Structures are given as C-alpha cells and as structure tokens.
C-alpha cells in the first residue's frame, strides 16, 4: 500500500500531463465547428456539437475554468467594467448572466415519448374516472332498461308521471274506503310545508337536492343566530351591558307607548308586569349598598359621621328584613325546636343583635383572616419538612419551580396582610358582596383571587391549590413556547393537513366506492373474525385454492363416513326388531269365506297361514340371509388382492396380454351388521350430468351447492317470486335508438350545475 | 196506578226516543270507529319453515370478486322472498278438508257408508257406488287427476270409464288373464299386463301396442314425469320402457326370483320391490343389477307397500302382522310400527295421509291425529265387502277410496282424505280436451331423463366430488418453466409440426428476451437518472477517464 502511494505521488505531474493529452485526443472530432460566414437567422440543430469536446465554450464552464485558448466572456466583461463608458454594458451583461439559464439537453425521443405517454395516460384515466361510479352502479344493477332515461329520474320513481295524464285515476268507492281505513291505521307523517307546496310539481333528483340544501342553509342560519345570542350573553364588559340595557329600555318604552295608543288595557298589564319586576329586584336586597346613594354616602362617611350612621341604619334594615325571613323559615321547618328558640325570645338583648348575626356579617372576613393565618403556618411547616426531605433526593425541575412559586406567593401574602389591615373597616361594610370585592381587588392590585377565600378550610386544600397554580404556570409557559413554535411547525405541516382535511371531508365522488353502501358492522362479523382467529380456517384460507378444495372434499367424505358409521352403530338387525309396536284393533276377516274360494286361493291362504305359524318360531333365517347378503355386498367393496401370476397358465413369450383377473381374494374377515345398504355415491349415468369442478365465483363446494339449492321454476315458486328470480338483467326497448351514455347521467357537482343554469337562463329569456 | 202507568209510558217513550237516538249514534259510530283488526303481514317462523329450501348459507368471504358477492347476496334475498311469498300464498288455499266427528258416546267407526251417504250432498253421495262383476279379483287404477278409472279382472274383464259421470269408454274381455292395469300419461291410453305380454289400449278399447319385451308381468308402474312404464315380471326381471319413444331403457333381474309387489316412489321415481325375504329394494333404470338401497323391513314376507303422495313416507306390511311407517330419506328405523290382528294384504295412503288397510274382506281406515312429533293414528272408518279385497287406491283430489274386490268394484266415501286444493297447472280434474293436449305437450317437453333417477333427487345439484378429486390430483401444482419444456424433445413429428413448434418456441424466447431487455433498459434509465442527479449536485466536469483520477481521501 505504502509503495503504491509513493508511486502515485511520484507520477503526479506526469499523470496530469497524460490526462490532458488524452483529453486532447478525445476532443478530436470529425464534425467541424461551424463557422459563421453569413449572418444566420436560424440556428440549425445539426450544427450543435458537443460543447465539451470543442472546448469549454459554455458560459457555465468558462466561468469556472477559463481555458487558455478560448476567451471567456466574463473575463471580457470584467475587463470592460473598469472602463466607465462601458460600465453599463458590463452590468447589463452581469444581470443577464445571472438571469439566464442554460437549457438542459433535450431527452432522447424514446424517453420523451414515454414520459408524454405516461402523462397522457394519467390524464385520460383521470378524465374517465368520473364514469366509474355510474358504471359500477349499472354493473351491479338488478336490471337495466335501455334506453336509460337518466335525465328524468323522478323521486317517485314512477315512469307514468312524466305524461301527467295517468296521474288522474278514478277512485272507486271501495278504493276510497280502503284508503280511509289505511289512513286511519297508518297516519301519514306530515311533510314539511316547503316540500308539500311543491309536491304538485315534479322534482328531479337534482332539484330535490337543491331544495334540501336550501333547507340546510336555513337551519344553519338559525343556529348561527342562536349562537350569536348566547355569545352576547357571555360578554363580560359592563359598559356594553349598560349600553345594551339602556337601549333595551328605550326600545321597551317605545313599544309601551305604542301599546298605550293602541291597547290601553294591555299597556296597563305591561306596566304592572314591569313594576312587579322592579319590586322583585329591589326586594332581593342586592342593592343595599351598591346604589348611587350608598356609594355617595360611603365617600361622605369619611368626613361625616351622620352619613356613617345612615349607612348603618340602612344596613340594619336589610339585616332585619333578612332575619325575619330566616325566622319564618325556621318556624315552618321545625316546631320541636320552639322551646329553645323561646328562650332566646325571652332575652330582649339577644333579640336586637344576635352574636351569630355579628358573625354573619364579619364572618366572611374573619374566616378569611383565620384561614390565611392557618395557611401561612401550614406552609411554614411544609417548607421545613421539604427542606429536610429534599436533601437526599434530587429536586425535580417542577418542584423547584413550585417552591419558587410558593415563596413568591408568600411575599405576596405579606403584602396582603398589610392591605388587609388598612381596609379592615371597609371590608366590614362590604360583607361578601362580589362586586365590591372585585372592586377592592382592583384597587389594591391583588392578584390572588377568591380561590382561597371561603371554601378552603383545610390548609392542605390550600397547598393543593398552590400546586395547581404552579402547574398552571408551567402550562402557560409551555403554551407560550408552543405558540412560538407553532408558526414554524405550521409552515411545515400545513399542506399535509390541508390534504388530509380534503380527504376527510370530501369523499372522492369519482371513486367507484363512493356510491357503495357502507356496511354496518354486525355482531356476526365479530364472531366470524373470532372464529377465524381460533380455528385452523385461517390456515386454510392461506392455502392455494386447489388444496382448499381438497381439504373440503376430505371433510365431506369424512362426514359421509361418519354418517354411515352412525347408522351402523345404531342399527343392529336384532335390536331393531325389538321395537315395541302399537296394537291396532283391527277386525278379523271372515273365515267363512274360505268355503267359497277356489283351490288356488285356498292354497295361497293356506301358505299364508303357514307363514303366520312360521312367524311364531324363530325369525333368524331371514335375518341371517340378509346379513349374508350384506356381507357379500361389503366384501365386494373391500380391497381385493390379485394373486394372478404373469404367464401362469398361459403361453410365455413376447406379446402376452394380461388375463382378466381370475384369482381374487376377497377379504372375508370384516363382518358388518347393517340392516340397510344404501348406495350413496352417484351412479355413472348421473355423473354425466354432474359438474366436476367448482365454477368461477365460488371457491368451495358448499357455497356452490348452496347457490343451487333453491329451484327457480314456475312450478316451485309463486309467480311473483318466479318473475323476480328469473328477471332479465338487460331489457332493450324495441325500435328505439340506444345512444351512448351522455354526461347528463353523471351526478353534477355544484359548480357544474351553476354553469348549466347560467347557460340555460338566457335561452329561457 | 194510572199515574204510574202513564209515567211508565212516558218513560218508555222517552226511553225509546233515547234508545233510537243512541242506536243511530252507535250505528254511525260503529261504522266510523270500528276497532280495526288488520292481519299482520309479518310471517312467523313456523310458517316460513314449511317452505324453506334448506339452510345452505353462502360464505361471502369465499366468493371471488365484489361483483359476484353482490349478485349472490341479491340472489339470496330473492330466495328468501320466494319463501315468504309462498308462505303468504297459503291464505289462498282456503279449501279445507273436513272429516267425520263423532258425538259423545259415539265413534266414527260406527258410521256405515249408508249413514254417510245420507248426510252428504247428492253429488258426493253419487260418488259412492258398487259394481257387481263376475270376472275375478279386480285390479283398479285411477288417473293422476282422479277423474278416470280402469279396472281389470283377473279373468280378462277390462273396463275404462269416467267414474263420476259413469260414462263408459270401453269394456271388453281380453280373453286372457289380467295381472295389472295402469293408466299411461293421459286418460286416452292404458297399459294392461296380461298373461304373456303387456298390451296398450286406448280408451276406445283399441289395442295400440303389444310389448313383447315385457313378458309375464305381474306388476306395472307408470312414472309420469319420466314417461317410463316399469314392470316387474314373474321371473324376477325389472324392465323400464320409455313410452314416449317406445324403447326399453333398462332391463335386468332383481334380487328376487319373482316380483309380486312393486310400487314407485313419486318423490324420486325409484321403483321399490317388496320381496318374500322381508326386504324392500329400491331400483333405478340407471343402475343395472344393483339396487340403490336394500332395507330389511320385516322378518316375514312383505305383503303390501304404499308411498304417500310426496314420496316422503313408505308404509309396509308383512306376514308378521306388522304395519310399519318409514321415512324414505333415512331408513334407520321405522317411524312407527303397528300390530294388526290379521295379515294386511293392501295398503293405501291418501294425499292427506289417511291410511287404508285391506285385511281380507275388511277395509280399515286410519287418520293421523295431532301435529308435529306427537302424531298418532286413530281408527277412523271400517268397511266390509262381500269378498276379499284385491286392490285399493285413493282417488286424488276426492274423498273417495276405490276398492277392487273379488266380486267387483266399489267406491266408498272417506271424508277428509283427499287434497282439497288442486293446482290446475299440475293436475286438473276438470280439464278440457284442449287443456289435456297442452298438458301432454308440456309434459313431453319437460320429460326428465331416466339417468337422473336416484334416491336423493337433490344429488343433481351436487358436485361430482370423486371426479373433482381426480382432476385436482392430475393437475400439476407448480407450472414447469419453459426451459424445462424445451428439454423434452418429441421424436415422432412431421417436419411442419416441428417447424411450427420451433416457431412458437422462438416467439416465446423472443418475448422473454424483449422482456429482459425492457427490464434492463428500465434499470439503465434509472441509473442514468441517478447519475444525472448526482451530476446536478456535483459541479465537477465528468469525463470518461475520471476513474483514473486520484481519489480524494475523505
């Protein structure tokens, strides 16, 4: 190896020289480079010569490898650039040089043709595929009537309706009565009016579809309105609602005025209704300190003690009102508690102001306060525990973040404490009203929400919430990151998605399977699938068809054998004779008749009598005879061994013909006790008429036989069934020209239909 | 009192008024609001089961191509439709066979023919009659539509007549012993088994044929769908004659030395022979000398045998005083077995499975009672003749039993034995001359070849398994490639043949080569494309001698 390398190194220069020389040889070409003697407009393709061989005249090459002999244009351009007067030309050249592209060598004719052919094939295939659906439909149709009148496929499917004459039928009294009874028994589903109105008209399939689409559009609009309303209700902006309310009120007032003018009584009722609504709203005490008056008072209360008192008085009224209601409710609830409550009633002090009531008012705040403290304590404990525990373990990233969050929240909470102390008195007034709370929150810049406020009694819950929060934060971060990533991803994945969507949403109309019915999965299918999995049928299905058939044949034969065996086992001649017989009380023929019979008859009768005597004795003779017969029959079917020796008892030498088998040993050992001998194999003359292979669409004998099991003749079926079973697959109307199918037969896509309409309209005008 | 009466009257008047009003109202309302009882069109399983054609369900997965899957699915639907239609059409068969019902303390067996005659309409009563004839025990035969009767006395008396109108077609004495008589496919011809040969007569009594190939015949049977006249002779030979072309279809000896009892199964057209050994053997003209089946029915000589109208049941009677009912599809065991007090000489089964047993001079009739598996036969009627009964036959589509006796012929009324609804396309008792002619043509066109006579009539639908197996064994599983085929050189062939073969071979080879070339081309094109792609990516100028360039180490 090393020596080789050395050699290589040594020969480097000479090697290069050699190469260049060889190249020169190769460059030699008999066809000369065309020289332009006259200005030519047309470039003859036969003058195109291998550029490589002629030296790198190609611009592309010249740029990279300026040959010594040939002058490269770029080099010229570079030279020119320096000259200012020609700078423009050089820049122009540069531009064109950048823009232009050298055309690739045209493909050889064979390949080009092939490509063209393949493209043409694909396009025509695509074009023709629109027929696939209707072709498969017609192929599978039970019956085709030519000429096909696909353009007039009415929904009723009634051919007579086109004329309109046959629509009218005289109804006899009987028919009318029958119809009445039918209508009574099976009341018709009322059709939608839209359809009903036009039922007189004849609707083609297309028109029907159009109509359906219109209905769908209406429904969509309706649902759109509904969602719009719902969304409007969800808007949280107060300003919006205020404005809306005002507008509504204005509207209502307008309507009310109008009503007043038209129908004063109704207007009065309306007024009452409005009043009632207002009262109800007022009564529910939502407005005890949110009204403008209360708000003003609150502001004044800082400076004016009277105002404070007034507010308190107002609140007191509210309290009293609520208390009364509570009492009433408790009264109604339980009478047994009365003695306890009486005690309280006795105490006048407790009457005015209940300690419980106080709790009610401040309860919310106090609770909140206590819980906060408790949470703080619990948190501290937890932190301590955490510090202890986290030493051995590796802190997970999530945990870290959570811990950080907890600390943050801790600092926030300390802030809260301060603000709480400041707003203490105000909170006492506020009680638990949501609106005010949210206002306060906004004032103080609290970020913490009411998650912690009333519901959480356990510190553990609080902690859980904290964890949840941490998780949320993580999720948020992830989301934001994802958002950043998404646009990038989308640019990559969008086209695919689109394609998928189109695939999902729009089934390919041209696909022949589009018109096929989707078969619903049934229980039987599952069973079948299971069976296949469990049985060795699966193996069978993989086998080649001939082997499958062989297996089936084997099975059929075994079935037959087992059937025969079954009969053999069951029936023993001696056993069958012991079947109990019923006695029929038949009369005995007159014996006197014997007197006037002839001699012959007498003899037969005597024989009969003898037989009846014989029957009293053993019947074995007949049975044994039959058994012997059976055995002989069975032995015939046994494999016989030929003990004939070639040439024995005949002349030796060439050309001896084999004698018919003379010495045949029947195997007498096997004894069968059958009472019945049945020749089940089809005899030769019948075999002539039997089929000896399974015809095409079938792969198993069983299926073929099943398909042939029912007769289709008139003698075995009702006439309606017979006509159905022997229906012609194609009917051609005599005397009509059957034209090739036109594009009218295709189900139109939407834009195609539009086009057609557009085309039709001007003609109609 | 008066006052009260008045009040009463007023009340009555009022009541009347009210009532009349009410009546009117109710009448109207009845008309309008009559609770409608519509019979449901849904069929129950047991109704359908009667008409089903077996439960051969096609496994769709094993059918090739979706198109045929679809077609067979449709076919299956049509089969089901046919079954449903047949079940629905049952309501059209509104004619039902009545039967005798006894009051308490009475039994139907007590009723004599005279009693029955008195209580039926005149036309029916006229159907019960008696002929006193002197020419020995009579054999009788009715046509398939039950309208015509031929009787043949053993002493040579032969008569054919419309037994309902009592119109005599012909009556004469053949001056020979008559063993059996049978109508052929129409009422214009009948076959008579005489002492030596079988003779054909038309209904005017003219002898049409004398079949000398059928000699010393004891029993005759006619297979209407195959146009075959089967005979069982005294020397134990079975013979089938095709009546439509006048050729013997098959003739061979049976297992017995003498055939005295022979019947045909209307279900599958096999001939069954009852022997003195207690064996019933089934024969087909297609299988020579070998019975389709032999069954040991009785341990004594068989005396009588009868199939029911659809051939699904066989009744046998033997010297052992037993009557057995068999299912002809499987002879595993008799369905039922009855012991009689005397030997039964004749059995007849009607279309409604009413069994008649002839015991000496007595005729006992039994009716099946109950449905399904719990069927039992009940003694229905008893009738006695003056002399011993030689043959009995039920009249199709009539409630009549014909009895041929030693002293004549009598037809008796057996209410409820015949099928009340007849299919006029199949058999019409009231058919005209024109209809008879049409029927003959149709029957001839639909003649079933004798090859198809087997025990299991549905075998014709089956695949010949043995042949198929042979075929499969012969078929080479792996196809031999051409190169190997070329190795075999057939020696003896003409030059032209050889040249042809060579040409063919060459053509084949050429095709192969072309294929290979195409493939190579394809590969090359691919390669070129690859190279091109590489070239596009590679800027360096390629040359033929590039391979000699020093490779840069990577």
């Amino acid at each position: 190896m090393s020596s080789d390398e050395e050699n290589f190194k040594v020969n480097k220069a000479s090697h290069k020289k050699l190469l260049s020389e060889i190249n020169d040889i190769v460059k030699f070409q008999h066809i000369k480079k065309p020289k332009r003697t006259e200005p030519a407009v047309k470039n003859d393709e036969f003058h195109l010569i291998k550029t490589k061989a002629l030296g790198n005249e190609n611009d592309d090459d010249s740029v990279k490898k300026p040959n010594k002999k040939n002058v490269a244009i770029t080099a010229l351009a570079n030279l020119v650039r320096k000259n200012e007067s020609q700078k423009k030309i050089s820049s122009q050249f540069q531009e064109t040089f950048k823009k232009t592209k050298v055309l690739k060598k045209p493909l050889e004719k064979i390949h080009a043709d092939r490509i063209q052919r393949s493209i043409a094939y694909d396009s025509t295939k695509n074009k023709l595929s629109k027929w696939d659906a209707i072709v498969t439909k017609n192929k599978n149709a039970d019956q085709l009537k030519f000429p096909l009148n696909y353009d007039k496929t009415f929904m009723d499917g009634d051919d007579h309706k086109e004329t309109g004459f046959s629509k009218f039928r005289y109804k006899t009294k009987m028919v009318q009565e029958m119809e009445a009874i039918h209508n009574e028994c099976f009341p018709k589903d009322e059709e939608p009016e839209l359809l009903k109105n036009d039922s007189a008209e004849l609707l083609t399939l297309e028109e029907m579809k159009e109509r359906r689409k219109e209905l769908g559009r209406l429904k969509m609009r309706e649902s759109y309105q509904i969602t719009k309303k719902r969304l409007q209700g969800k808007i949280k902006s107060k300003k919006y609602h205020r404005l809306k309310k005002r507008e509504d009120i204005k509207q209502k007032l307008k309507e009310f005025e109008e009503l007043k003018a038209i129908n004063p009584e109704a207007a009065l009722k309306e007024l009452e209704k409005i009043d009632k609504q207002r009262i109800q709203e007022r009564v529910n005490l939502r407005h005890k300190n949110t009204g403008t008056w209360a708000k003003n008072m609150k502001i004044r209360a800082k400076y004016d003690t009277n105002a404070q008192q007034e507010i308190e008085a107002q609140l007191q009224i509210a309290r009293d009102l609520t208390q009364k209601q509570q009492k009433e409710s408790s009264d109604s609830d339980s009478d047994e508690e009365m003695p306890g409550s009486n005690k309280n009633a006795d105490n006048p002090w407790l009457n005015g102001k209940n300690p419980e009531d106080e709790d009610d008012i401040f309860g919310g705040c106090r609770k909140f306060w206590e819980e906060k403290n408790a949470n703080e304590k619990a948190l501290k404990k937890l932190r301590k525990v955490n510090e202890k525990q986290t030493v051995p373990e590796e802190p997970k990233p999530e945990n870290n973040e959570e811990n950080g969050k907890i600390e943050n929240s801790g600092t926030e909470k300390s802030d809260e404490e301060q603000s709480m102390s400041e707003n203490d008195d105000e909170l006492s007034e506020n009680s638990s009203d949501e609106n005010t709370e949210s206002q306060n929150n906004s004032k103080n810049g609290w970020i913490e929400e009411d998650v912690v406020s009333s519901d959480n009694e356990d510190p553990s819950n609080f902690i859980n919430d904290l964890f949840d929060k941490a998780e949320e934060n993580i999720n948020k971060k992830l989301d934001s990151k994802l958002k950043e990533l998404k646009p990038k991803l989308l640019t990559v994945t969008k086209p695919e998605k689109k394609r998928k969507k189109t695939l999902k949403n729009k089934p390919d109309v041209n696909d022949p399977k589009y018109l096929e019915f989707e078969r619903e999965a049934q229980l039987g299918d599952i069973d079948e699938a299971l069976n296949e999995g469990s049985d060795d049928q699966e193996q069978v299905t993989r086998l080649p068809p001939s082997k499958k058939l062989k297996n089936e044949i084997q099975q059929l034969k075994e079935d037959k054998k087992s059937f025969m065996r079954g009969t053999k086992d069951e029936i023993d001649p001696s056993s069958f004779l012991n079947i109990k017989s019923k006695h029929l009380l038949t009369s005995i023929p007159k014996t006197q008749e014997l007197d006037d019979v002839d001699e012959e008859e007498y003899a037969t009768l005597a024989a009969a009598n003898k037989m009846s005597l014989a029957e009293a004795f053993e019947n074995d003779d007949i049975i044994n005879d039959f058994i012997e017969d059976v055995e002989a029959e069975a032995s015939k079917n046994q494999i016989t061994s030929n003990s004939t020796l070639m040439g024995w008892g005949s002349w030796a030498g060439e050309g001896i013909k084999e004698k018919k088998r003379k010495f045949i040993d029947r195997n007498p050992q096997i004894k069968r006790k059958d009472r019945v001998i049945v020749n089940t194999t089809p005899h030769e003359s019948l075999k002539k008429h039997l089929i000896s292979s399974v015809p095409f669409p079938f792969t198993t004998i069983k299926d073929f036989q099943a398909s042939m099991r029912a007769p289709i003749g008139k003698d075995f079926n009702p006439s309606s069934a017979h006509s159905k079973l022997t229906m012609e697959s194609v009917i051609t109307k005599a005397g009509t020209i059957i034209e090739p199918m036109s594009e009218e037969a295709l189900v139109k896509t939407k834009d195609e239909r539009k086009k057609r309409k557009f085309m039709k309209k001007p003609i109609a005008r | 009192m008066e006052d009260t009466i008045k009040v009463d009257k007023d009340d009555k008047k009022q009541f009347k008024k009210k009532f009349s009003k009410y009546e009117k109202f109710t009448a109207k309302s009845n008309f309008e609001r009559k609770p409608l009882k519509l019979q449901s069109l849904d069929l129950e399983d047991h109704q359908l089961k009667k008409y089903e054609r077996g439960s051969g369900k096609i496994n769709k997965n094993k059918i090739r191509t979706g198109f045929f899957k679809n077609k067979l699915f449709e076919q299956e639907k049509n089969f089901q439709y046919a079954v449903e239609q047949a079940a629905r059409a049952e309501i059209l068969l509104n004619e039902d066979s009545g039967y005798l019902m006894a009051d308490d303390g009475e039994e139907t067996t007590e009723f004599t023919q005279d009693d029955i005659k008195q209580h039926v309409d005149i036309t029916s009563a006229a159907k019960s009659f008696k002929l006193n004839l002197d020419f020995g025990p009579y054999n009788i035969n009715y046509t398939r539509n039950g309208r015509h009767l031929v009787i043949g006395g053993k002493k040579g008396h032969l008569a054919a007549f419309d037994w309902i109108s009592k119109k005599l077609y012909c009556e004469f004495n053949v001056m020979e012993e008559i063993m059996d008589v049978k109508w052929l496919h129409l009422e214009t011809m009948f076959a008579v088994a005489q002492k030596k040969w079988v003779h054909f007569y038309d209904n005017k009594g003219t002898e049409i044929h004398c079949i000398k190939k059928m000699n010393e015949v004891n029993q005759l049977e006619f297979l209407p769908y195959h146009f075959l006249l089967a005979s069982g002779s005294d020397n134990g030979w079975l013979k089938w004659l095709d009546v439509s072309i006048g050729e013997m279809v098959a003739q061979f000896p049976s297992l017995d030395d003498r055939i005295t009892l022979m019947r045909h199964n209307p279900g599958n057209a096999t001939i069954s022979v009852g022997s003195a050994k207690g064996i019933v053997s089934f024969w087909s003209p297609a299988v020579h000398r070998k019975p389709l089946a032999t069954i040991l029915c009785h341990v004594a000589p068989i005396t009588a045998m009868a199939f029911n109208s659809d051939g699904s049941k066989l009744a046998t009677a033997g010297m052992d005083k037993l009557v057995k009912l068999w299912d002809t599809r499987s002879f595993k065991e008799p369905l039922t077995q009855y012991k009689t007090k005397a030997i039964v000489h004749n059995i007849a089964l009607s279309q409604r499975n009413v069994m008649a047993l002839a015991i000496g001079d007595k005729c006992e009739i039994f009716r099946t009672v109950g449905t399904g598996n719990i069927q039992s036969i009940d003694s229905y009627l008893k009738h006695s003749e003056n002399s011993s009964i030689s043959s009995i036959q039920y009249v199709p589509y009539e409630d009549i039993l014909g009895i041929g006796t030693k002293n004549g012929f009598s037809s008796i009324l057996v209410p409820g034995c015949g099928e009340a609804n007849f299919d006029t396309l199949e058999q019409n008792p009231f058919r005209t001359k024109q209809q008879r002619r049409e029927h003959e043509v149709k029957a001839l066109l639909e003649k079933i070849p004798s090859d198809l006579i087997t025990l299991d009539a549905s075998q014709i639908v089956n695949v010949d398994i043995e042949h198929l197996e042979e075929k499969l064994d012969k078929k080479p599983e792996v196809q031999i490639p051409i190169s190997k085929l070329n190795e075999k050189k057939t020696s003896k062939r003409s030059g032209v043949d050889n040249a042809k073969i060579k040409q063919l071979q060459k053509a084949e080879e050429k095709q192969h080569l072309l294929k290979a070339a195409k493939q190579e081309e394809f590969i090359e094109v691919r390669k070129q494309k690859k190279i091109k792609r590489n070239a596009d990516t590679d800027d360096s100028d390629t040359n033929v001698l590039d391979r000699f360039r020093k490779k840069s180490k990577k």
Side-chain angles (χ1 to χ4, degrees), chain A residues 64-107:
Chain A
K64 283 154 200 168
K65 277 187 184 177
N67 205 319
K68 277 176 188 177
K69 281 180 186 174
N70 300 333
V71 182
I73 302 166
T74 42
L76 276 174
N78 282 336
L79 270 174
V80 169
R81 196 185 292 168
K82 283 169 191 171
N83 200 344
E84 280 208 9
S85 60
Q86 270 119 8
K87 215 173 190 176
K88 205 178 175 185
I89 298 164
S90 76
S91 64
Q92 244 176 10
F93 169 74
Q94 288 286 347
E95 265 175 40
T96 49
F97 185 70
K98 271 178 193 169
K99 275 180 192 171
T100 50
K101 239 184 185 176
V102 181
L103 283 175
K104 274 182 184 170
K105 203 173 96 183
L107 277 174

Side-chain angles (χ1 to χ4, degrees), chain B residues 286-457:
Chain B
V287 187
H288 290 229
R289 290 163 185 270
K290 207 177 159 193
L292 298 172
T294 49
I295 293 111
L296 180 59
C297 289
H298 292 266
V299 289
I302 288 169
T303 52
M305 200 162 59
F307 287 95
N308 73 341
S309 60
D310 62 349
S312 64
K313 273 172 192 167
L314 169 70
T316 59
M319 283 282 195
D320 52 358
K321 292 179 191 172
L322 282 172
V323 174
K324 292 180 185 179
L325 261 179
W326 305 82
D327 186 348
T328 53
R329 289 163 297 185
S330 67
F331 286 100
K332 284 181 185 177
E333 264 177 26
L335 294 171
T336 41
Q337 182 174 313
Y338 306 103
K339 185 94 181 166
T340 53
K341 284 181 178 171
I343 298 162
V344 175
H345 292 293
N346 263 307
I347 301 180
L349 285 169
S350 84
Q351 286 171 324
R352 289 262 173 169
N353 290 326
V354 176
M355 187 163 71
L357 304 177
I359 306 165
D361 58 343
K362 298 262 162 60
C363 185
E364 306 244 343
I365 292 153
F366 299 88
R367 226 177 116 248
T368 47
V369 179
T371 52
N373 293 327
I374 326 154
Q375 275 183 343
S376 63
I377 64 169
D378 217 0
S379 191
Y380 186 51
L381 280 177
K382 283 181 180 176
H383 177 75
S384 63
E385 288 285 329
N386 296 333
S387 53
S388 62
I389 294 164
S390 51
S391 77
I392 52 172
Q393 195 191 349
Y394 278 106
V395 185
Y397 313 109
E398 292 281 357
D399 287 349
I400 301 289
L401 176 71
I403 302 170
T405 62
K406 194 175 162 268
N407 288 346
F409 168 82
S410 60
S411 84
I412 60 165
L413 284 165
V414 182
C417 71
E419 176 62 57
N421 302 292
F422 51 84
D423 182 359
T424 49
L425 284 174
E426 177 66 22
Q427 284 302 327
N428 185 1
F430 307 106
R431 73 180 166 202
T432 58
K433 200 174 180 185
Q434 184 68 28
Q435 282 170 334
R436 191 187 73 206
R437 282 172 180 164
E438 275 173 20
H439 173 81
E440 186 178 17
V441 173
K442 195 175 165 250
L444 278 168
L445 287 172
E446 290 179 347
K447 189 184 122 181
I448 306 169
S450 60
D451 290 347
L452 304 183
I453 298 175
T454 51
L455 267 187
D456 181 11

